[in-house]
Amino acid sequence: MSVGIAVLVFLACLITTLVSSEVLVRGLAVLGTKLKLTEGFLGLLTALGADAPEIASAIASLFAGAADLGRGVVLGSNIFNLAMLLGLSAVITGQVRMRRQGLMLDGAVALFTLLVVAALLLGLLAPVLAMVLLAVLLIPYVVLVGLRPRQVDHLPLPDGLAHLLAVAARQIHEEEQEQQETEGSWFPGLLVPLSLLVIVLASVGLVRAALALAQAWQLTQALVGAVILAGLTSLPNAYAAAHLALRGRGAAVVSATVNSNTINLVVGLALPALVIGRSSAASQVLVELGWLLGMTVIGLLLLIPAKGMTRVGGAGMIVLYLLFVVAQVLWPNI
């Protein structure tokens, strides 16, 4: 594949993937509304649809034998999300905040998921054991966001814990609640399987074109995945987060960011490792994992105060991302 053709294929597949992702998200929203799912569960479905380009690109890379590219897409996308979904939203609006109970729940799930997947990538955990640990954490979480807060309050748990979880669940439902169109046809929902198929096929072409360009321009797979593909496939998420922040829904921005990162790690890295096995990690993965872990902890700490993440904190998150890009560019020469 010549460079010119690779560029055209890359752009065509990228546009197709992003447009199909938007169709998928709208279809999932219609299905969720029609089926009367809870706001929290609908938020998870929407995050899964928005993450489809990154996940499909990562899985296509792994099956193509380009493990560094696949890992880079997921980890780089998560780092991009922290900077551009959280940081940029705080810079634009001056403040992004989430009430403490909801932040503790979403933040703990995101951080634990990251630690388990990091241990998996570094060879400290077998894929089966990693999936067991993730299932023990995520299945109750999904059930929690799928229940109404009053149902959570009546779970057979100690009264204090049940009440605390009910408060957190109520906040998550409030954060995800959006004005949904309940009228209209099921047609957008019927497009979900087709849009998902198009995303998968376009992602295969996107990865092949990216590999061809990386070879022609002598770029590392990690750089192409963690910076170029990760940033481009995450742009719709950044736009959606800025839109929510401008509407004063900062808590929804936080929830969407941490849930998106959790879904990327589980579906884009942990599940493929269980199916096709864990490939040996390159040295760059230490940089990517370290940066993601550091930015996740910093982001959560900046959100803990009552005023949440301020414009200064948001700018700091963006600077950290820019330093990550510089590190990715310079790493092969270090």
Side-chain angles (χ1 to χ4, degrees):
M1 185 185 299
S2 67
V3 173
I5 293 177
V7 170
L8 291 177
V9 170
F10 182 89
L11 293 176
C13 291
L14 176 65
I15 294 171
T16 302
T17 302
L18 296 182
V19 171
S20 299
S21 176
E22 179 64 20
V23 174
L24 178 63
V25 168
R26 293 187 180 187
L28 290 174
V30 168
L31 288 178
T33 303
K34 294 287 187 180
L35 297 175
K36 301 187 183 302
L37 300 178
T38 65
E39 290 83 5
F41 194 77
L42 181 56
L44 288 179
L45 280 180
T46 303
L48 179 60
D51 288 342
E54 301 100 281
I55 293 171
S57 298
I59 294 176
S61 301
L62 293 173
F63 276 99
D68 290 346
L69 183 67
R71 283 191 295 262
V73 171
V74 172
L75 299 178
S77 174
N78 283 13
I79 295 170
F80 180 92
N81 286 346
L82 291 169
M84 298 304 166
L85 273 66
L86 278 182
L88 184 60
S89 294
V91 170
I92 292 174
T93 62
Q95 181 188 62
V96 169
R97 62 181 297 271
M98 183 181 195
R99 281 179 287 181
R100 190 158 296 175
Q101 293 91 338
L103 177 63
M104 288 175 60
L105 178 62
D106 280 353
V109 170
L111 191 56
F112 183 82
T113 300
L114 174 56
L115 292 174
V116 171
V117 173
L120 170 64
L121 293 179
L122 296 175
L124 303 177
L125 283 178
V128 173
L129 180 56
M131 285 306 304
V132 169
L133 291 175
L134 291 174
V136 169
L137 172 73
L138 296 177
I139 290 176
Y141 177 73
V142 173
V143 171
L144 180 65
V145 299
L147 295 175
R148 307 289 175 184
R150 62 177 177 274
Q151 295 173 315
V152 177
D153 211 3
H154 289 89
L155 290 176
L157 297 171
D159 291 340
L161 178 59
H163 179 68
L164 178 63
L165 291 176
V167 171
R170 187 174 296 109
Q171 292 176 12
I172 292 173
H173 291 308
E174 291 173 356
E175 290 147 12
E176 299 293 347
Q177 193 168 16
E178 185 89 44
Q179 292 296 326
Q180 300 288 343
E181 294 290 337
T182 56
E183 303 86 5
S185 70
W186 286 76
F187 181 70
L190 298 178
L191 292 177
V192 167
L194 177 60
S195 59
L196 186 58
L197 176 62
V198 172
I199 288 172
V200 171
L201 294 177
S203 296
V204 171
L206 183 67
V207 167
R208 290 183 177 177
L211 289 173
L213 291 174
Q215 183 177 9
W217 293 337
Q218 297 183 342
L219 301 175
T220 65
Q221 290 184 14
L223 174 62
V224 174
V227 177
I228 300 174
L229 275 180
L232 292 176
T233 55
S234 300
L235 284 176
N237 283 342
Y239 172 80
H243 181 67
L244 288 171
L246 289 172
R247 294 174 57 190
R249 299 187 63 224
V253 173
V254 178
S255 187
T257 303
V258 295
N259 284 332
S260 175
N261 283 8
T262 297
I263 290 170
N264 277 345
L265 292 170
V266 174
V267 184
L269 291 179
L271 280 177
L274 183 64
V275 174
I276 64 177
R278 183 187 61 84
S279 57
S280 58
S283 56
Q284 288 95 334
V285 76
L286 293 174
V287 177
E288 295 161 0
L289 282 172
W291 224 284
L292 177 56
L293 179 60
M295 285 188 65
T296 300
V297 172
I298 292 172
L300 292 175
L301 290 175
L302 290 174
L303 288 165
I304 288 177
K307 59 183 178 180
M309 184 180 293
T310 63
R311 186 170 279 118
V312 173
M317 295 293 285
I318 295 174
V319 169
L320 287 175
Y321 175 73
L322 295 177
L323 291 175
F324 168 74
V325 173
V326 172
Q328 286 293 307
V329 172
L330 296 180
W331 180 260
N333 300 320
I334 295 177

